[in-house]
Amino acid sequence: MANFSYSKPLIIILLGPPGVGKGTIAVALEKKLNIPHISTGDLFRENLKNKTFFGEKAKNYMEKGLLVPDELVEEMLYKRLKKEDCNKGFILDGFPRNIPQAQYFAKIIKNKKITVINLEVKKNILIERITGRLVCKKCQATFHKTFYPPKKEGICDLCQGELYQRNDDKVEVVNKRLLEYENKTKPLIEFYKKNSNFYSVDGSFDKEKILKDILSKIKQIEFK
Ligand code: AMP
Protein backbone atom coordinates (compact mmCIF):
# COMPACT_ATOMS: atom_id res chain seq x y z
CA MET A 1 0.00 0.00 0.00
CA ALA A 2 1.29 3.43 -0.92
CA ASN A 3 2.38 5.75 1.81
CA PHE A 4 0.02 8.72 1.72
CA SER A 5 1.92 11.78 2.73
CA TYR A 6 1.23 15.29 1.49
CA SER A 7 2.92 18.63 1.84
CA LYS A 8 -0.51 20.32 1.93
CA PRO A 9 -3.54 19.41 4.05
CA LEU A 10 -5.56 16.69 2.37
CA ILE A 11 -9.16 17.92 2.37
CA ILE A 12 -11.60 15.30 1.19
CA ILE A 13 -15.35 15.66 0.79
CA LEU A 14 -17.44 12.54 0.40
CA LEU A 15 -20.48 13.44 -1.64
CA GLY A 16 -23.51 11.31 -2.36
CA PRO A 17 -27.10 10.61 -1.31
CA PRO A 18 -28.09 9.23 2.09
CA GLY A 19 -27.37 5.52 2.26
CA VAL A 20 -24.68 5.49 -0.42
CA GLY A 21 -22.13 4.33 2.14
CA LYS A 22 -20.29 7.57 2.93
CA GLY A 23 -19.99 6.74 6.64
CA THR A 24 -18.61 3.24 6.11
CA ILE A 25 -16.12 4.43 3.52
CA ALA A 26 -15.10 7.44 5.61
CA VAL A 27 -14.22 5.21 8.59
CA ALA A 28 -12.05 3.00 6.35
CA LEU A 29 -10.41 6.02 4.69
CA GLU A 30 -9.66 7.59 8.05
CA LYS A 31 -7.54 4.55 8.93
CA LYS A 32 -5.75 4.45 5.57
CA LEU A 33 -4.99 8.18 5.36
CA ASN A 34 -4.54 8.92 9.04
CA ILE A 35 -6.71 12.03 9.00
CA PRO A 36 -9.97 12.42 10.96
CA HIS A 37 -13.40 11.59 9.60
CA ILE A 38 -15.87 14.34 10.41
CA SER A 39 -19.55 13.57 9.97
CA THR A 40 -21.91 16.46 10.66
CA GLY A 41 -24.74 13.92 11.13
CA ASP A 42 -22.68 12.12 13.82
CA LEU A 43 -21.82 15.46 15.45
CA PHE A 44 -25.51 16.34 15.61
CA ARG A 45 -26.43 12.91 17.00
CA GLU A 46 -23.74 13.30 19.66
CA ASN A 47 -25.10 16.75 20.52
CA LEU A 48 -28.64 15.38 20.63
CA LYS A 49 -27.58 12.65 23.03
CA ASN A 50 -25.85 15.18 25.28
CA LYS A 51 -28.78 17.62 25.01
CA THR A 52 -26.51 20.52 24.00
CA PHE A 53 -27.54 23.80 22.36
CA PHE A 54 -26.74 22.40 18.89
CA GLY A 55 -28.62 19.18 19.63
CA GLU A 56 -31.76 20.91 20.88
CA LYS A 57 -31.84 23.25 17.88
CA ALA A 58 -31.29 20.47 15.33
CA LYS A 59 -33.67 17.88 16.81
CA ASN A 60 -36.86 18.89 15.00
CA TYR A 61 -35.24 19.11 11.58
CA MET A 62 -33.47 15.81 11.95
CA GLU A 63 -36.59 13.95 13.00
CA LYS A 64 -38.39 15.19 9.90
CA GLY A 65 -35.53 14.34 7.54
CA LEU A 66 -34.93 18.03 6.77
CA LEU A 67 -31.66 19.90 6.59
CA VAL A 68 -30.71 21.83 9.71
CA PRO A 69 -30.25 25.62 9.09
CA ASP A 70 -26.86 26.47 7.60
CA GLU A 71 -25.68 28.81 10.39
CA LEU A 72 -26.06 26.07 12.96
CA VAL A 73 -24.20 23.40 10.98
CA GLU A 74 -21.49 25.85 10.03
CA GLU A 75 -20.85 26.97 13.59
CA MET A 76 -20.71 23.38 14.83
CA LEU A 77 -18.35 22.34 12.04
CA TYR A 78 -16.11 25.36 12.48
CA LYS A 79 -15.54 24.44 16.12
CA ARG A 80 -14.58 20.91 15.13
CA LEU A 81 -12.20 21.97 12.36
CA LYS A 82 -10.26 24.21 14.73
CA LYS A 83 -9.05 21.16 16.65
CA GLU A 84 -5.43 20.25 16.11
CA ASP A 85 -6.07 16.84 14.56
CA CYS A 86 -7.44 18.60 11.46
CA ASN A 87 -4.16 20.32 10.63
CA LYS A 88 -3.00 17.55 8.27
CA GLY A 89 -6.40 17.37 6.65
CA PHE A 90 -9.77 15.68 7.19
CA ILE A 91 -12.55 13.75 5.52
CA LEU A 92 -15.95 15.42 5.49
CA ASP A 93 -19.05 13.24 5.38
CA GLY A 94 -22.45 14.95 5.20
CA PHE A 95 -21.08 18.45 4.67
CA PRO A 96 -21.61 20.51 2.57
CA ARG A 97 -25.25 19.72 1.80
CA ASN A 98 -26.02 22.75 -0.39
CA ILE A 99 -24.28 25.49 -2.38
CA PRO A 100 -24.25 28.14 0.41
CA GLN A 101 -22.53 25.64 2.75
CA ALA A 102 -19.96 24.89 0.03
CA GLN A 103 -19.29 28.61 -0.39
CA TYR A 104 -18.93 29.05 3.36
CA PHE A 105 -16.51 26.12 3.47
CA ALA A 106 -14.35 27.52 0.66
CA LYS A 107 -14.08 30.74 2.64
CA ILE A 108 -13.04 29.18 5.96
CA ILE A 109 -10.40 26.95 4.38
CA LYS A 110 -9.19 29.99 2.42
CA ASN A 111 -9.87 28.37 -0.96
CA LYS A 112 -7.42 25.51 -0.41
CA LYS A 113 -7.64 22.69 -2.95
CA ILE A 114 -10.39 20.16 -2.16
CA THR A 115 -10.75 16.59 -3.38
CA VAL A 116 -14.33 15.47 -3.86
CA ILE A 117 -15.30 11.83 -4.08
CA ASN A 118 -18.82 11.50 -5.43
CA LEU A 119 -20.29 8.09 -4.56
CA GLU A 120 -23.04 6.89 -6.88
CA VAL A 121 -25.66 4.17 -6.37
CA LYS A 122 -29.11 3.55 -7.89
CA LYS A 123 -32.13 4.78 -5.86
CA ASN A 124 -33.71 1.36 -5.19
CA ILE A 125 -30.44 0.11 -3.70
CA LEU A 126 -30.21 3.24 -1.52
CA ILE A 127 -33.61 2.63 0.06
CA GLU A 128 -32.74 -1.01 0.77
CA ARG A 129 -29.45 0.05 2.33
CA ILE A 130 -30.89 2.81 4.50
CA THR A 131 -33.90 0.96 5.87
CA GLY A 132 -31.76 -2.07 6.83
CA ARG A 133 -28.99 -0.04 8.44
CA LEU A 134 -28.07 -0.63 12.10
CA VAL A 135 -25.81 1.73 14.03
CA CYS A 136 -23.85 1.15 17.22
CA LYS A 137 -24.97 3.42 20.07
CA LYS A 138 -21.45 3.49 21.47
CA CYS A 139 -18.97 3.70 18.56
CA GLN A 140 -21.28 4.62 15.62
CA ALA A 141 -20.08 1.64 13.53
CA THR A 142 -22.67 0.65 10.93
CA PHE A 143 -24.03 -2.78 10.00
CA HIS A 144 -26.85 -3.98 7.77
CA LYS A 145 -29.62 -6.45 8.64
CA THR A 146 -29.08 -8.39 5.39
CA PHE A 147 -25.89 -7.29 3.63
CA TYR A 148 -23.58 -6.92 6.63
CA PRO A 149 -25.18 -8.42 9.71
CA PRO A 150 -23.35 -8.31 13.06
CA LYS A 151 -22.00 -11.64 14.33
CA LYS A 152 -24.40 -11.49 17.28
CA GLU A 153 -27.84 -10.00 16.69
CA GLY A 154 -28.21 -6.47 18.06
CA ILE A 155 -24.58 -6.27 19.26
CA CYS A 156 -21.69 -4.34 17.69
CA ASP A 157 -18.82 -6.58 16.51
CA LEU A 158 -16.27 -3.91 17.35
CA CYS A 159 -17.16 -2.66 20.84
CA GLN A 160 -20.09 -4.85 21.99
CA GLY A 161 -22.32 -1.74 22.09
CA GLU A 162 -26.04 -1.97 21.42
CA LEU A 163 -27.18 -1.62 17.78
CA TYR A 164 -30.25 0.46 16.85
CA GLN A 165 -32.08 1.80 13.84
CA ARG A 166 -31.80 5.57 13.47
CA ASN A 167 -35.22 7.25 13.57
CA ASP A 168 -34.52 8.99 10.30
CA ASP A 169 -33.65 5.65 8.65
CA LYS A 170 -37.27 4.56 9.00
CA VAL A 171 -39.04 4.32 5.67
CA GLU A 172 -41.38 7.30 6.33
CA VAL A 173 -38.45 9.71 6.70
CA VAL A 174 -36.14 8.24 4.05
CA ASN A 175 -38.10 9.60 1.08
CA LYS A 176 -38.00 13.09 2.55
CA ARG A 177 -34.21 12.86 2.98
CA LEU A 178 -33.77 11.66 -0.59
CA LEU A 179 -35.85 14.60 -1.80
CA GLU A 180 -33.69 17.02 0.20
CA TYR A 181 -30.67 15.43 -1.47
CA GLU A 182 -32.13 15.80 -4.99
CA ASN A 183 -33.15 19.43 -4.48
CA LYS A 184 -30.32 20.82 -2.41
CA THR A 185 -27.26 18.57 -2.37
CA LYS A 186 -27.12 17.17 -5.91
CA PRO A 187 -26.36 20.60 -7.46
CA LEU A 188 -23.01 20.35 -5.62
CA ILE A 189 -21.87 17.85 -8.24
CA GLU A 190 -21.75 20.54 -10.94
CA PHE A 191 -20.35 23.05 -8.43
CA TYR A 192 -17.44 20.79 -7.48
CA LYS A 193 -16.74 19.61 -11.02
CA LYS A 194 -15.62 23.19 -11.54
CA ASN A 195 -14.10 23.85 -8.11
CA SER A 196 -12.20 20.76 -6.98
CA ASN A 197 -10.35 17.59 -7.88
CA PHE A 198 -13.60 15.78 -8.64
CA TYR A 199 -13.94 11.99 -8.99
CA SER A 200 -17.05 9.84 -9.29
CA VAL A 201 -16.89 6.34 -7.85
CA ASP A 202 -19.39 3.48 -8.23
CA GLY A 203 -20.68 2.83 -4.70
CA SER A 204 -22.59 -0.36 -5.51
CA PHE A 205 -19.56 -2.65 -5.09
CA ASP A 206 -18.28 -4.08 -1.81
CA LYS A 207 -16.37 -1.87 0.62
CA GLU A 208 -12.88 -3.14 -0.31
CA LYS A 209 -13.37 -2.50 -4.02
CA ILE A 210 -14.81 0.99 -3.42
CA LEU A 211 -11.93 1.82 -1.10
CA LYS A 212 -9.38 0.64 -3.66
CA ASP A 213 -11.01 2.79 -6.35
CA ILE A 214 -11.00 5.85 -4.10
CA LEU A 215 -7.38 5.40 -3.01
CA SER A 216 -6.26 5.09 -6.62
CA LYS A 217 -7.98 8.43 -7.37
CA ILE A 218 -6.45 10.08 -4.31
CA LYS A 219 -3.01 8.92 -5.36
CA GLN A 220 -3.45 10.78 -8.65
CA ILE A 221 -3.77 14.15 -6.95
CA GLU A 222 -0.13 14.01 -5.88
CA PHE A 223 0.88 14.35 -9.48
CA LYS A 224 -1.33 17.27 -10.45
P1 AMP B 1 -26.58 12.24 8.05
O1 AMP B 1 -26.13 11.33 9.14
O2 AMP B 1 -25.45 12.88 7.31
O3 AMP B 1 -27.59 11.59 7.13
O4 AMP B 1 -27.34 13.46 8.77
C1 AMP B 1 -28.48 13.25 9.57
C2 AMP B 1 -29.27 14.55 9.65
O5 AMP B 1 -28.47 15.57 10.26
C3 AMP B 1 -29.69 15.12 8.31
O6 AMP B 1 -30.89 14.53 7.81
C4 AMP B 1 -29.88 16.60 8.68
O7 AMP B 1 -31.08 16.80 9.40
C5 AMP B 1 -28.72 16.83 9.65
N1 AMP B 1 -27.50 17.26 8.94
C6 AMP B 1 -26.30 16.61 8.87
N2 AMP B 1 -25.41 17.30 8.15
C7 AMP B 1 -26.06 18.42 7.73
C8 AMP B 1 -25.68 19.53 6.93
N3 AMP B 1 -24.45 19.64 6.40
N4 AMP B 1 -26.61 20.51 6.70
C9 AMP B 1 -27.84 20.43 7.24
N5 AMP B 1 -28.28 19.40 7.97
C10 AMP B 1 -27.40 18.40 8.23
Side-chain angles (χ1 to χ4, degrees), residues 44-67:
F44 276 131
R45 281 182 286 279
E46 190 68 32
N47 276 284
L48 256 176
K49 205 167 82 185
N50 298 328
K51 296 193 163 54
T52 67
F53 165 82
F54 289 121
E56 294 295 319
K57 290 267 182 198
K59 191 169 188 265
N60 248 317
Y61 297 95
M62 291 177 77
E63 278 172 359
K64 293 190 183 117
L66 299 173
L67 292 188

Side-chain angles (χ1 to χ4, degrees), residues 5-11 87-89 112-113:
S5 158
Y6 297 85
S7 53
K8 292 184 178 154
L10 184 57
I11 300 176
N87 289 349
K88 279 193 303 178
K112 286 193 191 79
K113 197 75 183 173

Side-chain angles (χ1 to χ4, degrees), residues 18-19 22 39-42 44-45 58 61-63 65-70 73 76 93-98 101 133 166 168-169 177:
K22 298 189 294 295
S39 152
T40 43
D42 283 352
F44 276 131
R45 281 182 286 279
Y61 297 95
M62 291 177 77
E63 278 172 359
L66 299 173
L67 292 188
V68 173
D70 292 346
V73 192
M76 182 181 72
D93 153 18
F95 187 96
R97 286 285 238 278
N98 57 29
Q101 289 183 10
R133 176 158 63 186
R166 277 167 47 180
D168 60 348
D169 279 350
R177 288 170 62 207

Side-chain angles (χ1 to χ4, degrees), residues 12-141:
I12 297 178
I13 291 177
L14 290 179
L15 210 58
V20 76
K22 298 189 294 295
T24 310
I25 293 300
V27 170
L29 269 182
E30 177 177 49
K31 285 198 197 113
K32 293 273 182 202
L33 302 173
N34 203 21
I35 50 176
H37 155 219
I38 299 171
S39 152
T40 43
D42 283 352
L43 288 178
F44 276 131
R45 281 182 286 279
E46 190 68 32
N47 276 284
L48 256 176
K49 205 167 82 185
N50 298 328
K51 296 193 163 54
T52 67
F53 165 82
F54 289 121
E56 294 295 319
K57 290 267 182 198
K59 191 169 188 265
N60 248 317
Y61 297 95
M62 291 177 77
E63 278 172 359
K64 293 190 183 117
L66 299 173
L67 292 188
V68 173
D70 292 346
E71 309 76 60
L72 203 66
V73 192
E74 288 165 0
E75 196 185 332
M76 182 181 72
L77 181 72
Y78 187 73
K79 272 192 166 173
R80 176 65 187 88
L81 294 181
K82 276 205 307 202
K83 294 195 177 161
E84 209 186 325
D85 63 337
C86 293
N87 289 349
K88 279 193 303 178
F90 46 86
I91 305 156
L92 282 184
D93 153 18
F95 187 96
R97 286 285 238 278
N98 57 29
I99 303 275
Q101 289 183 10
Q103 288 165 335
Y104 166 84
F105 184 62
K107 222 167 20 178
I108 62 165
I109 59 159
K110 303 193 171 65
N111 292 313
K112 286 193 191 79
K113 197 75 183 173
I114 301 171
T115 298
V116 174
I117 306 290
N118 179 43
L119 288 169
E120 297 177 311
V121 162
K122 289 204 178 76
K123 193 173 168 188
N124 59 330
I125 303 181
L126 287 179
I127 295 178
E128 226 179 339
R129 281 191 182 176
I130 304 176
T131 53
R133 176 158 63 186
L134 297 168
V135 184
C136 174
K137 276 189 180 167
K138 222 158 114 190
C139 75
Q140 318 295 330

